[in-house]
Coordinates of all heavy atoms in Angstrom, one line a residue:
M163 N 1.3 17.0 -29.3 CA 2.5 17.1 -28.6 C 2.4 16.5 -27.2 O 3.1 15.6 -26.9 CB 2.9 18.6 -28.4 CG 3.2 19.2 -29.8 SD 3.0 21.0 -29.7 CE 2.3 21.3 -31.3
E164 N 1.4 17.0 -26.4 CA 1.2 16.4 -25.1 C 0.5 15.1 -25.2 O 0.5 14.3 -24.3 CB 0.4 17.4 -24.2 CG 1.3 18.5 -23.6 CD 2.4 18.1 -22.7 OE1 2.1 17.2 -21.9 OE2 3.5 18.6 -22.8
G165 N -0.3 14.9 -26.3 CA -1.1 13.7 -26.4 C -0.2 12.5 -26.5 O -0.6 11.4 -26.0
G166 N 0.9 12.6 -27.1 CA 1.8 11.4 -27.2 C 2.3 11.0 -25.9 O 2.4 9.8 -25.6
K167 N 2.6 11.9 -25.0 CA 3.1 11.6 -23.7 C 2.0 11.0 -22.8 O 2.2 10.0 -22.1 CB 3.6 12.8 -22.9 CG 4.9 13.4 -23.5 CD 5.4 14.6 -22.7 CE 6.7 15.1 -23.3 NZ 7.2 16.3 -22.6
F168 N 0.7 11.5 -23.0 CA -0.4 10.9 -22.3 C -0.6 9.5 -22.7 O -0.9 8.6 -21.9 CB -1.6 11.8 -22.6 CG -2.9 11.2 -21.9 CD1 -3.0 11.3 -20.5 CD2 -3.8 10.5 -22.7 CE1 -4.2 10.8 -19.9 CE2 -4.9 10.0 -22.1 CZ -5.1 10.1 -20.7
E169 N -0.6 9.3 -24.1 CA -0.8 7.9 -24.6 C 0.3 6.9 -24.0 O 0.0 5.8 -23.6 CB -0.7 7.9 -26.1 CG -1.7 8.8 -26.8 CD -3.1 8.1 -26.8 OE1 -3.1 6.8 -26.8 OE2 -4.1 8.8 -26.9
E170 N 1.5 7.4 -24.0 CA 2.6 6.6 -23.4 C 2.4 6.2 -22.0 O 2.5 5.1 -21.5 CB 4.0 7.3 -23.5 CG 4.7 7.0 -24.8 CD 6.1 7.8 -24.7 OE1 6.7 7.8 -23.7 OE2 6.4 8.3 -25.8
R171 N 2.0 7.2 -21.2 CA 1.7 7.0 -19.8 C 0.5 6.1 -19.6 O 0.5 5.3 -18.7 CB 1.5 8.4 -19.1 CG 1.4 8.3 -17.6 CD 1.5 9.6 -17.0 NE 1.4 9.5 -15.5 CZ 0.9 10.3 -14.7 NH1 0.5 11.5 -15.2 NH2 0.8 10.1 -13.4
F172 N -0.5 6.3 -20.4 CA -1.7 5.4 -20.2 C -1.3 4.0 -20.5 O -1.8 3.1 -19.8 CB -2.8 5.9 -21.2 CG -4.0 5.1 -21.1 CD1 -4.9 5.2 -20.0 CD2 -4.4 4.2 -22.1 CE1 -6.0 4.4 -19.9 CE2 -5.5 3.4 -22.0 CZ -6.3 3.6 -20.9
E173 N -0.6 3.8 -21.6 CA -0.2 2.4 -21.9 C 0.7 1.8 -20.9 O 0.6 0.6 -20.5 CB 0.5 2.4 -23.3 CG -0.3 2.6 -24.5 CD -1.4 1.6 -24.6 OE1 -1.2 0.4 -24.4 OE2 -2.6 2.0 -24.9
Q174 N 1.6 2.6 -20.3 CA 2.5 2.1 -19.2 C 1.6 1.7 -18.0 O 1.9 0.7 -17.4 CB 3.5 3.2 -18.9 CG 4.5 2.8 -17.8 CD 5.4 3.9 -17.4 OE1 5.2 5.1 -17.8 NE2 6.4 3.6 -16.6
K175 N 0.7 2.6 -17.6 CA -0.2 2.2 -16.5 C -1.0 1.0 -16.7 O -1.2 0.2 -15.8 CB -1.1 3.4 -16.1 CG -0.5 4.5 -15.4 CD -1.5 5.5 -15.1 CE -0.9 6.7 -14.4 NZ -1.9 7.7 -14.0
K176 N -1.5 0.8 -17.9 CA -2.3 -0.3 -18.2 C -1.6 -1.6 -18.1 O -2.2 -2.7 -17.7 CB -2.9 -0.1 -19.6 CG -4.1 -1.1 -19.9 CD -4.8 -0.7 -21.1 CE -4.0 -0.9 -22.4 NZ -4.8 -0.8 -23.6
T177 N -0.3 -1.7 -18.4 CA 0.4 -2.9 -18.4 C 1.2 -3.2 -17.1 O 1.8 -4.2 -17.0 CB 1.4 -2.9 -19.5 OG1 2.3 -1.8 -19.4 CG2 0.7 -2.8 -20.9
Q178 N 1.1 -2.3 -16.1 CA 1.8 -2.5 -14.8 C 1.1 -3.6 -14.0 O -0.1 -3.7 -13.9 CB 1.9 -1.2 -14.0 CG 2.9 -0.2 -14.6 CD 3.0 1.0 -13.8 OE1 2.1 1.3 -13.0 NE2 4.0 1.8 -14.1
P179 N 1.9 -4.4 -13.3 CA 1.3 -5.5 -12.5 C 0.7 -4.9 -11.2 O 1.0 -3.8 -10.8 CB 2.5 -6.3 -12.2 CG 3.7 -5.4 -12.3 CD 3.4 -4.4 -13.4
N180 N -0.1 -5.6 -10.6 CA -0.8 -5.2 -9.4 C -0.1 -5.8 -8.1 O -0.7 -6.1 -7.2 CB -2.2 -5.7 -9.4 CG -3.0 -5.0 -10.4 OD1 -2.8 -3.8 -10.7 ND2 -4.0 -5.7 -11.0
V181 N 1.2 -5.8 -8.1 CA 2.0 -6.4 -7.0 C 2.0 -5.5 -5.8 O 1.7 -6.0 -4.7 CB 3.4 -6.7 -7.5 CG1 4.2 -7.2 -6.3 CG2 3.5 -7.7 -8.6
Y182 N 2.2 -4.2 -6.0 CA 2.3 -3.3 -4.9 C 1.0 -3.2 -4.1 O 1.0 -3.3 -2.8 CB 2.7 -1.9 -5.3 CG 4.1 -1.9 -5.9 CD1 4.4 -1.1 -7.0 CD2 5.1 -2.6 -5.3 CE1 5.7 -1.1 -7.5 CE2 6.4 -2.6 -5.8 CZ 6.7 -1.8 -6.9 OH 7.9 -1.8 -7.5
P183 N -0.2 -3.1 -4.7 CA -1.4 -3.1 -3.9 C -1.7 -4.4 -3.2 O -2.1 -4.3 -2.0 CB -2.5 -2.8 -5.0 CG -1.8 -2.2 -6.1 CD -0.5 -2.7 -6.1
V184 N -1.4 -5.5 -3.8 CA -1.6 -6.8 -3.1 C -0.8 -6.9 -1.9 O -1.2 -7.3 -0.8 CB -1.4 -8.0 -4.1 CG1 -1.4 -9.3 -3.4 CG2 -2.5 -7.9 -5.2
L185 N 0.5 -6.6 -2.0 CA 1.4 -6.6 -0.9 C 1.0 -5.6 0.2 O 1.2 -5.9 1.4 CB 2.9 -6.4 -1.4 CG 3.5 -7.5 -2.2 CD1 4.9 -7.1 -2.7 CD2 3.6 -8.8 -1.4
G186 N 0.6 -4.5 -0.2 CA 0.1 -3.4 0.7 C -1.0 -3.9 1.5 O -1.1 -3.8 2.8
W187 N -2.1 -4.5 0.9 CA -3.2 -5.0 1.6 C -2.8 -6.1 2.6 O -3.3 -6.2 3.7 CB -4.3 -5.4 0.7 CG -5.0 -4.4 -0.1 CD1 -5.0 -4.2 -1.4 CD2 -5.8 -3.3 0.5 NE1 -5.8 -3.1 -1.7 CE2 -6.3 -2.5 -0.6 CE3 -6.2 -3.0 1.8 CZ2 -7.1 -1.4 -0.4 CZ3 -7.0 -1.9 2.0 CH2 -7.5 -1.1 0.9
L188 N -2.0 -7.0 2.1 CA -1.5 -8.1 2.9 C -0.7 -7.6 4.1 O -1.0 -8.1 5.2 CB -0.6 -9.0 2.0 CG -0.1 -10.3 2.7 CD1 -1.3 -11.2 2.9 CD2 0.9 -11.0 1.8
C189 N 0.1 -6.6 3.9 CA 0.9 -6.1 5.1 C -0.1 -5.4 6.1 O 0.1 -5.5 7.3 CB 1.9 -5.1 4.6 SG 3.4 -5.9 3.8
A190 N -1.1 -4.7 5.6 CA -2.0 -4.1 6.5 C -2.7 -5.1 7.4 O -2.8 -4.9 8.6 CB -3.0 -3.2 5.7
V191 N -3.2 -6.2 6.8 CA -3.9 -7.2 7.6 C -2.9 -7.9 8.5 O -3.3 -8.2 9.7 CB -4.6 -8.1 6.6 CG1 -5.2 -9.3 7.4 CG2 -5.7 -7.4 5.9
V192 N -1.8 -8.3 8.0 CA -0.8 -9.0 8.8 C -0.3 -8.2 10.0 O 0.1 -8.7 11.1 CB 0.4 -9.6 8.0 CG1 1.5 -10.1 8.8 CG2 -0.2 -10.6 7.0
S193 N -0.3 -6.9 9.9 CA 0.3 -6.0 10.9 C -0.6 -6.0 12.2 O -0.2 -5.6 13.2 CB 0.4 -4.6 10.4 OG -0.8 -4.0 10.2
L194 N -1.8 -6.6 12.1 CA -2.7 -6.7 13.2 C -2.1 -7.8 14.2 O -2.4 -7.8 15.4 CB -4.1 -7.1 12.8 CG -4.9 -6.0 12.2 CD1 -6.2 -6.6 11.6 CD2 -5.2 -5.0 13.3
I195 N -1.4 -8.8 13.6 CA -1.0 -9.9 14.4 C 0.6 -10.0 14.6 O 1.0 -10.2 15.7 CB -1.5 -11.2 13.8 CG1 -3.0 -11.2 13.6 CG2 -1.0 -12.4 14.5 CD1 -3.6 -12.3 12.8
F196 N 1.3 -9.9 13.6 CA 2.8 -10.1 13.6 C 3.5 -8.8 13.4 O 3.3 -8.1 12.4 CB 3.2 -11.1 12.5 CG 2.6 -12.4 12.7 CD1 1.7 -12.9 11.8 CD2 3.0 -13.2 13.8 CE1 1.1 -14.1 11.9 CE2 2.4 -14.5 13.9 CZ 1.5 -14.9 13.0
F197 N 4.4 -8.4 14.3 CA 5.3 -7.3 14.2 C 4.6 -6.0 13.6 O 4.9 -5.6 12.5 CB 6.5 -7.6 13.3 CG 7.3 -8.8 13.7 CD1 7.2 -10.0 13.0 CD2 8.0 -8.8 14.9 CE1 7.9 -11.1 13.4 CE2 8.7 -9.9 15.3 CZ 8.7 -11.0 14.6
P198 N 3.6 -5.5 14.3 CA 2.8 -4.4 13.8 C 3.6 -3.2 13.3 O 3.2 -2.6 12.3 CB 1.9 -4.0 14.9 CG 2.3 -4.8 16.1 CD 3.3 -5.8 15.7
L199 N 4.6 -2.8 14.1 CA 5.4 -1.6 13.7 C 6.1 -1.8 12.3 O 6.1 -1.0 11.4 CB 6.4 -1.2 14.8 CG 7.0 0.1 14.7 CD1 5.9 1.2 14.7 CD2 8.0 0.3 15.8
L200 N 6.8 -2.9 12.2 CA 7.6 -3.2 11.0 C 6.7 -3.5 9.8 O 6.9 -3.0 8.7 CB 8.5 -4.4 11.3 CG 9.4 -4.8 10.2 CD1 10.4 -3.7 9.9 CD2 10.1 -6.1 10.5
V201 N 5.7 -4.4 10.0 CA 4.8 -4.8 8.9 C 3.9 -3.6 8.5 O 3.6 -3.4 7.3 CB 4.0 -6.1 9.2 CG1 3.1 -6.5 8.1 CG2 5.0 -7.2 9.5
G202 N 3.5 -2.8 9.5 CA 2.6 -1.7 9.1 C 3.4 -0.6 8.3 O 2.9 0.0 7.4
A203 N 4.7 -0.5 8.7 CA 5.6 0.5 7.9 C 5.8 -0.1 6.5 O 5.7 0.7 5.5 CB 6.9 0.6 8.6
A204 N 5.9 -1.4 6.3 CA 6.0 -1.9 5.0 C 4.8 -1.7 4.2 O 4.8 -1.4 3.0 CB 6.3 -3.4 5.1
G205 N 3.6 -1.8 4.9 CA 2.3 -1.5 4.2 C 2.2 -0.1 3.7 O 1.7 0.2 2.6
V206 N 2.8 0.8 4.5 CA 2.8 2.2 4.1 C 3.7 2.4 2.8 O 3.3 3.1 1.9 CB 3.2 3.2 5.2 CG1 3.5 4.6 4.7 CG2 2.2 3.1 6.4
V207 N 4.8 1.7 2.8 CA 5.7 1.8 1.7 C 5.1 1.3 0.4 O 5.1 1.9 -0.6 CB 7.0 1.1 2.0 CG1 7.9 1.0 0.7 CG2 7.8 1.9 3.1
F208 N 4.4 0.1 0.6 CA 3.7 -0.5 -0.6 C 2.6 0.4 -1.0 O 2.3 0.5 -2.2 CB 3.3 -1.9 -0.3 CG 4.4 -2.9 -0.3 CD1 4.7 -3.7 0.8 CD2 5.3 -3.0 -1.4 CE1 5.7 -4.6 0.8 CE2 6.3 -3.9 -1.4 CZ 6.5 -4.7 -0.3
G209 N 1.9 1.0 -0.1 CA 0.8 1.9 -0.5 C 1.3 3.1 -1.3 O 0.7 3.6 -2.2
Y210 N 2.5 3.6 -0.8 CA 3.1 4.8 -1.6 C 3.5 4.3 -3.0 O 3.3 5.0 -3.9 CB 4.3 5.3 -0.8 CG 5.1 6.3 -1.6 CD1 4.6 7.6 -1.7 CD2 6.3 6.0 -2.2 CE1 5.3 8.5 -2.5 CE2 7.0 6.9 -2.9 CZ 6.5 8.2 -3.1 OH 7.2 9.1 -3.8
L211 N 4.1 3.1 -3.1 CA 4.5 2.6 -4.4 C 3.3 2.4 -5.3 O 3.3 2.6 -6.5 CB 5.3 1.4 -4.2 CG 6.7 1.5 -3.6 CD1 7.3 0.2 -3.4 CD2 7.6 2.4 -4.5
A212 N 2.2 1.9 -4.7 CA 0.9 1.7 -5.5 C 0.4 3.1 -6.0 O 0.0 3.2 -7.1 CB -0.1 1.0 -4.6
K213 N 0.4 4.1 -5.1 CA 0.0 5.4 -5.5 C 0.9 6.0 -6.6 O 0.4 6.6 -7.5 CB 0.0 6.4 -4.3 CG -0.5 7.7 -4.5 CD -0.5 8.6 -3.3 CE -1.0 10.0 -3.4 NZ -1.0 10.6 -4.7
K214 N 2.2 5.8 -6.4 CA 3.1 6.3 -7.4 C 2.9 5.6 -8.8 O 3.2 6.2 -9.8 CB 4.5 6.1 -6.9 CG 5.6 6.8 -7.7 CD 6.9 6.6 -7.0 CE 8.0 7.2 -7.9 NZ 9.3 7.0 -7.4
S215 N 2.5 4.3 -8.8 CA 2.3 3.6 -10.0 C 1.0 3.8 -10.7 O 0.7 3.2 -11.7 CB 2.5 2.1 -9.8 OG 1.4 1.5 -9.0
G216 N 0.2 4.7 -10.1 CA -1.0 5.1 -10.8 C -2.3 4.7 -10.1 O -3.4 5.1 -10.5
K217 N -2.3 4.0 -9.0 CA -3.5 3.6 -8.3 C -3.6 4.5 -7.1 O -3.3 4.2 -6.0 CB -3.4 2.2 -7.9 CG -3.3 1.2 -9.0 CD -3.2 -0.2 -8.6 CE -3.2 -1.2 -9.7 NZ -3.0 -0.8 -11.0
D218 N -4.1 5.8 -7.4 CA -4.0 6.9 -6.4 C -4.9 6.6 -5.2 O -4.5 6.6 -4.1 CB -4.5 8.2 -7.1 CG -3.5 8.6 -8.1 OD1 -2.3 8.3 -8.0 OD2 -3.9 9.3 -9.0
V219 N -6.2 6.3 -5.4 CA -7.1 6.1 -4.3 C -6.8 4.8 -3.5 O -6.8 4.8 -2.3 CB -8.6 6.0 -4.8 CG1 -9.5 5.7 -3.7 CG2 -8.9 7.3 -5.6
Q220 N -6.4 3.8 -4.2 CA -6.1 2.5 -3.5 C -4.8 2.7 -2.7 O -4.7 2.2 -1.6 CB -5.9 1.4 -4.5 CG -5.8 0.0 -3.9 CD -5.8 -1.1 -5.0 OE1 -5.6 -0.8 -6.1 NE2 -6.1 -2.3 -4.5
G221 N -3.8 3.4 -3.2 CA -2.6 3.7 -2.5 C -2.8 4.4 -1.2 O -2.2 4.1 -0.2
V222 N -3.6 5.4 -1.3 CA -3.9 6.2 -0.1 C -4.7 5.4 0.9 O -4.4 5.4 2.2 CB -4.7 7.5 -0.4 CG1 -5.2 8.2 0.8 CG2 -3.9 8.4 -1.3
A223 N -5.6 4.6 0.5 CA -6.4 3.7 1.4 C -5.4 2.7 2.0 O -5.6 2.4 3.2 CB -7.5 3.0 0.6
I224 N -4.5 2.1 1.3 CA -3.6 1.2 1.9 C -2.7 1.8 2.9 O -2.5 1.3 4.0 CB -2.7 0.5 0.8 CG1 -3.5 -0.4 -0.1 CG2 -1.5 -0.2 1.3 CD1 -2.8 -0.8 -1.4
M225 N -2.2 3.0 2.6 CA -1.4 3.7 3.6 C -2.1 4.0 4.9 O -1.6 3.8 6.0 CB -0.8 5.0 3.0 CG 0.2 4.8 2.0 SD 1.0 6.3 1.4 CE -0.2 7.0 0.3
A226 N -3.4 4.5 4.8 CA -4.2 4.8 6.0 C -4.5 3.6 6.8 O -4.4 3.5 8.0 CB -5.5 5.5 5.5
L227 N -4.9 2.5 6.1 CA -5.2 1.3 6.7 C -4.0 0.6 7.4 O -4.1 0.0 8.5 CB -5.9 0.3 5.8 CG -6.5 -1.0 6.4 CD1 -7.7 -0.6 7.3 CD2 -6.9 -2.0 5.4
S228 N -2.8 0.7 6.8 CA -1.6 0.2 7.4 C -1.3 0.9 8.7 O -0.9 0.2 9.6 CB -0.5 0.3 6.4 OG -0.7 -0.5 5.3
V229 N -1.4 2.2 8.7 CA -1.1 3.0 9.9 C -2.2 2.6 11.0 O -1.8 2.3 12.1 CB -1.2 4.5 9.7 CG1 -1.2 5.3 11.0 CG2 0.0 4.9 8.8
A230 N -3.4 2.5 10.6 CA -4.5 2.1 11.6 C -4.3 0.7 12.1 O -4.4 0.5 13.3 CB -5.8 2.3 11.0
C231 N -4.0 -0.2 11.2 CA -3.9 -1.6 11.7 C -2.6 -1.8 12.5 O -2.5 -2.6 13.4 CB -3.9 -2.6 10.5 SG -5.5 -2.8 9.7
G232 N -1.5 -1.1 12.1 CA -0.3 -1.1 12.9 C -0.5 -0.6 14.3 O -0.1 -1.2 15.3
F233 N -1.2 0.5 14.4 CA -1.5 1.0 15.8 C -2.4 0.1 16.5 O -2.1 -0.2 17.7 CB -2.2 2.4 15.6 CG -2.5 3.0 16.9 CD1 -1.5 3.6 17.7 CD2 -3.8 3.1 17.4 CE1 -1.8 4.2 18.9 CE2 -4.1 3.7 18.6 CZ -3.1 4.2 19.4
L234 N -3.4 -0.5 15.9 CA -4.3 -1.4 16.6 C -3.6 -2.7 17.0 O -3.8 -3.2 18.0 CB -5.5 -1.7 15.6 CG -6.6 -2.6 16.2 CD1 -7.2 -1.8 17.4 CD2 -7.7 -2.8 15.2
G235 N -2.6 -3.1 16.1 CA -1.8 -4.3 16.4 C -0.9 -4.1 17.6 O -0.8 -5.0 18.5
I236 N -0.4 -2.9 17.8 CA 0.4 -2.5 18.9 C -0.5 -2.5 20.2 O -0.1 -3.1 21.2 CB 1.1 -1.2 18.8 CG1 2.2 -1.3 17.7 CG2 1.7 -0.7 20.1 CD1 2.8 0.1 17.3
M237 N -1.7 -2.0 20.1 CA -2.6 -2.0 21.2 C -3.0 -3.4 21.6 O -3.0 -3.7 22.8 CB -3.8 -1.1 20.9 CG -3.6 0.3 20.8 SD -3.0 1.1 22.3 CE -1.3 1.6 21.8
I238 N -3.3 -4.2 20.7 CA -3.6 -5.6 20.9 C -2.5 -6.3 21.6 O -2.6 -7.1 22.6 CB -4.0 -6.3 19.6 CG1 -5.4 -5.8 19.2 CG2 -4.1 -7.8 19.9 CD1 -5.8 -6.3 17.8
G239 N -1.2 -6.1 21.2 CA -0.1 -6.7 21.8 C 0.1 -6.2 23.2 O 0.5 -7.0 24.1
V240 N -0.1 -4.9 23.5 CA 0.1 -4.4 24.8 C -1.0 -5.0 25.7 O -0.7 -5.4 26.9 CB 0.0 -2.9 24.8 CG1 -0.2 -2.3 26.2 CG2 1.2 -2.3 24.1
I241 N -2.2 -5.1 25.3 CA -3.3 -5.6 26.1 C -3.1 -7.1 26.4 O -3.2 -7.6 27.6 CB -4.7 -5.4 25.4 CG1 -5.0 -4.0 25.4 CG2 -5.8 -6.3 26.1 CD1 -6.2 -3.6 24.6
F242 N -2.6 -7.9 25.4 CA -2.5 -9.3 25.7 C -1.2 -9.7 26.4 O -1.0 -10.8 26.9 CB -2.6 -10.1 24.4 CG -4.0 -10.3 23.9 CD1 -4.4 -9.8 22.7 CD2 -4.9 -10.9 24.7 CE1 -5.7 -9.9 22.2 CE2 -6.2 -11.1 24.3 CZ -6.6 -10.6 23.1
T243 N -0.2 -8.8 26.5 CA 1.0 -9.1 27.3 C 0.8 -8.7 28.7 O 1.7 -9.1 29.5 CB 2.2 -8.4 26.7 OG1 1.9 -7.0 26.6 CG2 2.5 -8.9 25.3
L244 N -0.2 -8.0 29.1 CA -0.5 -7.7 30.5 C -1.1 -8.8 31.1 O -1.2 -9.5 31.8 CB -1.4 -6.4 30.6 CG -0.8 -5.1 30.1 CD1 -1.8 -4.0 30.2 CD2 0.4 -4.8 30.8

């Protein structure tokens, strides 16, 4: 009964593309240089979508790194504009 649902979910996870994690990592790195608040927020969204699609650990790591890189990007921008 539950086994069929598990099999379906496993097959669905196995065939999903890795677009969200790739975009999440890219946004996290880019937020250090360009528009840290906007691109960092996009990284958090892509991290959430990656977590929702079955990549739990990677999704959480992307969300945390996006927040950290966004904050660091803002600090770098403040320092270099003075």
Side-chain angles (χ1 to χ4, degrees):
M163 294 160 221
E164 285 294 320
K167 289 181 182 180
F168 177 75
E169 298 282 334
E170 269 181 41
R171 188 170 180 207
F172 180 73
E173 289 299 319
Q174 181 184 9
K175 281 186 182 182
K176 193 167 72 170
T177 60
Q178 288 180 345
N180 292 327
V181 176
Y182 297 139
V184 171
L185 289 175
W187 289 116
L188 185 66
C189 285
V191 172
V192 170
S193 71
L194 286 170
I195 301 169
F196 299 110
F197 304 111
L199 193 61
L200 183 66
V201 179
V206 170
V207 170
F208 284 125
Y210 172 75
L211 291 173
K213 183 177 179 342
K214 191 175 175 185
S215 71
K217 299 183 179 4
D218 295 333
V219 175
Q220 191 173 17
V222 172
I224 291 170
M225 288 187 282
L227 189 67
S228 293
V229 169
C231 288
F233 181 73
L234 188 62
I236 290 171
M237 292 296 116
I238 290 170
V240 167
I241 289 171
F242 283 120
T243 55
L244 296 177

